[in-house]
Amino acid sequence: KAGVTQTPRYLIKTRGQQVTLSCSPISGHRSVSWYQQTPGQGLQFLFEYFSETQRNKGNFPGRFSGRQFSNSRSEMNVSTLELGDSALYLCASSPWGGRREGTDTQYFGPGTRLTVL
Amino acid sequence: GNSVTQMEGPVTLSEEAFLTINCTYTATGYPSLFWYVQYPGEGLQLLLKATKADDKGSNKGFEATYRKETTSFHLEKGSVQVSDSAVYFCALSAPTGTASKLTFGTGTRLQVTL
C-alpha cells in the first residue's frame, strides 16, 4: 500500500496570508490526525478527523481548521498566518483511530514545511 | 492528563555501542506505547509498538518492553550503526474508545560515529 502523502512539501508565505495543506491517508484508513512540530514546542496535536467529522482538537487558536472528505483525504487550513506558525506540519492516518481495539497505530506522512516571512 | 518524559539528548555513541534511551509515561488507563524515529528532513517512521503490559516491541534490532509497574518503555539496541543517527520519539496513545491522539516526548537525538 502507498503511504501517507502530503502536499505541498514546502511552502513559503507572508504574515496575514492563509494556507491550505493536503493529506492523503493510507488506503482504507478512516482516521486522519494533524500535528505541528516546532523546535520550541516539539510535536503538538492539532486535531483528528474520522468519518468527515472533527473528533478531537488540541489547544490551538481558531485560525487552525480542517476538514475531511468522503474519501478520507483531509485538508488543514491556517488563516491570518503569524511568524510563529512556521513549522513542520505532519499528517498521520490510522485504520479506526483506536475506535476498535488494536487500531490506534498512526502512520505519518513526510510533512509540509511551512515558512512564514 | 497524559505525558511522556524522555531523556535529554544528544546521545553520542561509537558504532557497535549499546544504546538505551529512557522513556517514562503518565497516563490514565492502559495506553499503547510507541517509538517513532525521524531522519533529517523527513516525517516520523514507526519503529516499534506495544499495546499491553509486558509486551515487547521489536524492529531492526531495536527493542522496548512495556513496563506497567515502572510506567516505562525504554528503547534499546545492542549494536548501533551510523545509519541509526536520527531523533527518536517516545509516544503514547489514549486508550481504545477515545479519539486518536498521540502524546509525544521531546525527542532524543542520537548521533553515532565511526
Side-chain angles (χ1 to χ4, degrees):
Chain A
K1 282 185 180 177
V4 177
T5 59
Q6 292 186 245
T7 57
R9 291 293 309 277
Y10 302 92
L11 266 179
I12 299 176
K13 294 286 188 178
T14 56
R15 278 182 300 174
Q17 287 187 308
Q18 67 94 25
V19 67
T20 299
L21 313 181
S22 181
C23 171
S24 292
I26 292 171
S27 177
H29 285 194
R30 297 176 59 178
S31 168
V32 173
S33 297
W34 289 88
Y35 295 83
Q36 182 196 63
Q37 185 178 25
T38 60
Q41 299 299 316
L43 281 153
Q44 294 185 286
F45 173 77
L46 280 157
F47 30 65
E48 185 230 2
Y49 284 85
F50 181 81
S51 292
E52 301 178 61
T53 302
Q54 187 182 94
R55 305 288 180 161
N56 197 6
K57 191 177 192 306
N59 189 26
F60 279 82
R63 300 185 296 106
F64 291 83
S65 63
R67 59 178 175 169
Q68 187 181 35
F69 302 94
S70 59
N71 62 358
S72 295
R73 191 177 69 84
S74 177
E75 289 181 346
M76 190 192 94
N77 186 76
V78 187
S79 62
T80 319
L81 284 165
E82 301 177 0
L83 295 179
D85 297 333
S86 295
L88 180 66
Y89 290 89
L90 293 163
C91 167
S93 74
S94 73
W96 284 83
R99 292 166 180 84
R100 292 183 178 177
E101 189 170 348
T103 66
D104 56 352
T105 301
Q106 295 188 31
Y107 299 89
F108 284 80
T112 294
R113 171 79 59 187
L114 173 64
T115 301
V116 181
L117 302 176
Chain B
N2 299 332
S3 67
V4 176
T5 302
Q6 278 183 248
M7 62 187 288
E8 290 285 332
V11 173
T12 303
L13 295 173
S14 299
E15 200 170 46
E16 299 184 1
F18 184 85
L19 169 71
T20 300
I21 300 178
N22 291 335
C23 170
T24 57
Y25 68 90
T26 301
T28 54
Y30 301 94
S32 296
L33 301 174
F34 305 86
W35 278 100
Y36 285 88
V37 58
Q38 187 174 36
Y39 297 98
E42 298 185 11
L44 300 178
Q45 294 180 24
L46 177 66
L47 183 58
L48 53 83
K49 67 177 183 179
T51 58
K52 60 183 187 294
D54 299 326
D55 266 2
K56 177 186 283 188
S58 62
N59 185 28
K60 299 180 182 179
F62 292 90
E63 293 183 340
T65 302
Y66 190 143
R67 301 288 188 197
K68 189 172 185 301
E69 64 275 13
T70 55
T71 62
S72 65
F73 193 55
H74 304 321
L75 182 68
E76 296 181 336
K77 186 176 185 183
S79 176
V80 294
Q81 306 299 312
V82 171
S83 58
D84 294 327
S85 298
V87 181
Y88 292 80
F89 292 91
C90 183
L92 67 82
S93 176
T96 301
T98 63
S100 185
K101 172 187 173 183
L102 285 169
T103 300
F104 287 92
T106 53
T108 302
R109 181 176 300 278
L110 170 66
Q111 184 165 357
V112 181
T113 60
L114 290 171

